[in-house]
């Protein structure tokens, strides 16, 4: 079920969003254009800026509160859908039809590759929901298939055998994904790993002039920072996994050098690399690659 509330839970939004203008006193009118507050005067001319007295009026404050709520709602929907992508666990088939009328949910879900897990599975780009609650998927032949699944899966790209073909279809259709699914870099384990190996040192010794640069970068990229580690929470076949990349835990303004990349389970016990599934592996390496690429000692690698 959705992790956050629907727009109906914010009654102040009724009648003050969309194309309609709302009186704000002294002949001024306001409306929300997406998340942009617009204002026009008594003669109907739209102003470049909203006058302070109008912005601080009751309707102005209400619209700004609605705008802030909508921005947060968009973020929560995007975060929820990305969590489902990383979890790679089946969702109720009715879920997409239930949330589709909400523009924030629709924006987060539209054009993602999903799988109807009914046998035989149907995979396609999510393009719409009809009045009967059926989900419209576009397959690799660019044909629309309507399904009514009991269970569905938002596919992590590392699991897509025809990833390049799906990327080509998105380019051909000229659509975009709000969630970085097909554009996401994927990484597969190399040769068989020895059972006792539990640490990746490939991304160690990346130097940053200040620790805060490394931690700030990790957070901007969407990763959490905990006790000196950049972390990424995922699931492989239902098993919780967390990738951890050591950034340092000293003075935030002091230089730092990165350390190892490891994986831990739900009990925070380190997991041997041979037991790390494809999604956790790909996401952990992706996290380390993104941070490592911004190191200050690229030249000479001293």
């Amino acid at each position: 079920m959705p992790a956050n509330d629907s727009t109906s839970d914010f009654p102040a939004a009724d009648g003050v969003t969309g194309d309609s203008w709302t009186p704000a006193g002294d002949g001024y009118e306001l409306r929300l254009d997406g998340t942009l507050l617009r204002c026009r005067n008594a003669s109907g001319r739209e102003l470049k800026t909203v006058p302070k007295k109008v912005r601080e009026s009751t309707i102005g404050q209400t619209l700004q509160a609605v705008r802030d709520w909508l921005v947060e709602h968009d973020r929560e929907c995007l975060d929820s859908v990305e969590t489902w992508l990383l979890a790679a666990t089946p969702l109720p088939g009715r879920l997409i039809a239930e949330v589709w009328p909400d523009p924030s949910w629709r924006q987060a879900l539209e054009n993602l590759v999903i799988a109807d897990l009914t046998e035989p599975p149907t995979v396609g780009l999510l393009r719409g929901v009809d009045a009967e609650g059926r989900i419209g998927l576009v397959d690799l032949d660019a044909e629309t298939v309507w399904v009514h699944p009991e269970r569905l899966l938002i596919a992590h790209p590392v699991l897509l055998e025809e990833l390049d073909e799906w990327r080509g279809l998105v380019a051909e259709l000229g659509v975009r994904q709000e969630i970085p699914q097909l554009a996401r870099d994927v990484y597969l384990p190399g040769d068989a790993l020895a059972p006792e190996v539990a640490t990746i040192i490939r991304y160690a010794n990346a130097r940053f002039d200040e620790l805060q640069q490394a931690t700030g970068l990790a957070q901007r990229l969407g990763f959490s920072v905990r006790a000196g580690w950049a972390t990424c929470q995922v699931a492989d076949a239902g098993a919780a996994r967390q990738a951890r990349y050591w950034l340092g835990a000293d003075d935030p303004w002091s230089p730092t050098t990165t350390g190892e990349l490891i994986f831990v389970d739900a009990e925070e016990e380190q997991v041997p690399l041979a037991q790390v599934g494809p999604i956790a592996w790909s996401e952990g390496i992706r996290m380390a690659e993104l941070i490592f690429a911004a190191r200050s000692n690229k030249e000479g690698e001293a």
Side-chain angles (χ1 to χ4, degrees):
M1 294 300 294
N4 56 323
D5 300 331
S6 69
T7 52
S8 63
D9 292 326
F10 201 99
D14 295 344
V16 293
T17 59
D19 295 331
S20 61
W21 291 90
T22 302
D26 295 334
Y28 291 99
E29 294 180 312
L30 293 172
R31 73 178 179 93
L32 276 180
D33 180 6
T35 58
L36 179 63
L37 184 63
R38 296 191 178 278
C39 177
R40 68 183 183 186
N41 60 20
S43 64
R45 183 172 63 88
E46 189 167 331
L47 308 179
K48 293 183 179 180
T49 60
V50 181
K52 181 179 179 182
K53 68 174 183 179
V54 182
R55 189 172 62 251
E56 294 180 351
S57 67
T58 300
I59 189 61
Q61 292 179 347
T62 298
L63 281 170
Q64 290 175 84
V66 173
R67 177 198 60 198
D68 294 345
W69 185 88
L70 289 172
V71 169
E72 178 65 13
H73 182 57
D74 283 348
R75 187 194 63 78
E76 289 179 349
C77 292
L78 291 169
D79 288 349
S80 294
V81 174
E82 188 161 30
T83 296
W84 297 338
L85 172 73
L86 297 178
T89 53
L91 299 167
R94 68 183 185 280
L95 176 62
I96 288 178
E98 289 179 353
V99 302
W100 193 256
D102 183 326
S104 296
W105 281 108
R106 186 163 62 248
Q107 174 182 264
L109 289 163
E110 195 168 23
N111 301 315
L112 294 182
V113 179
I114 69 169
D116 168 10
L117 299 180
T118 306
E119 291 296 335
T122 302
V123 182
L125 293 180
L126 173 58
R127 298 290 290 149
V129 176
D130 69 8
E132 299 176 12
R134 296 183 306 167
I135 297 171
L137 303 179
V138 174
D139 62 22
L140 282 175
D141 294 323
E143 298 290 337
T144 300
V145 180
W146 292 95
V147 298
H148 207 157
E150 291 187 5
R151 296 185 308 148
L152 56 87
L153 180 73
I154 299 176
H156 190 284
V158 78
L159 304 179
L160 293 172
E161 295 180 358
E162 298 171 307
L163 178 58
D164 289 340
E165 287 82 353
W166 287 113
R167 287 170 170 168
L169 178 62
V170 166
E172 178 184 338
L173 295 176
V175 298
R176 70 185 298 268
Q177 298 179 319
E178 288 296 321
I179 300 294
Q181 183 194 38
L182 296 179
R184 207 176 195 89
D185 291 329
V186 297
Y187 302 89
L188 295 171
D191 298 332
L193 297 164
E196 68 276 6
V197 177
T199 301
I200 297 173
I201 61 173
R202 183 187 322 163
Y203 303 103
N205 300 317
R207 191 171 65 242
F208 289 84
D209 296 333
E210 295 178 349
L211 174 58
Q212 65 165 346
Q213 293 176 350
T215 57
L217 170 66
Q219 292 168 333
R220 288 194 301 275
L221 291 170
F223 306 114
S224 298
V225 177
R226 174 186 174 193
W229 300 89
T231 68
C232 177
Q233 190 74 35
V234 297
D236 268 312
R241 293 284 184 265
Q242 186 183 78
R244 294 181 176 180
Y245 180 36
W246 180 251
L247 301 181
D250 296 323
D251 183 347
W253 292 274
S254 296
T256 192
T257 302
T258 61
E260 68 270 22
L261 170 65
I262 65 172
F263 298 84
V264 300
D265 60 19
E267 285 71 42
E268 303 201 358
E269 296 291 334
Q270 194 165 343
V271 178
L273 299 183
Q275 297 178 21
V276 176
I279 296 177
W281 179 276
S282 184
E283 291 298 318
I285 297 296
R286 174 178 175 269
M287 175 177 68
E289 285 273 356
L290 289 171
I291 298 172
F292 187 79
R295 65 196 183 279
S296 61
N297 57 328
K298 290 181 183 178
E299 296 185 8
E301 297 294 331

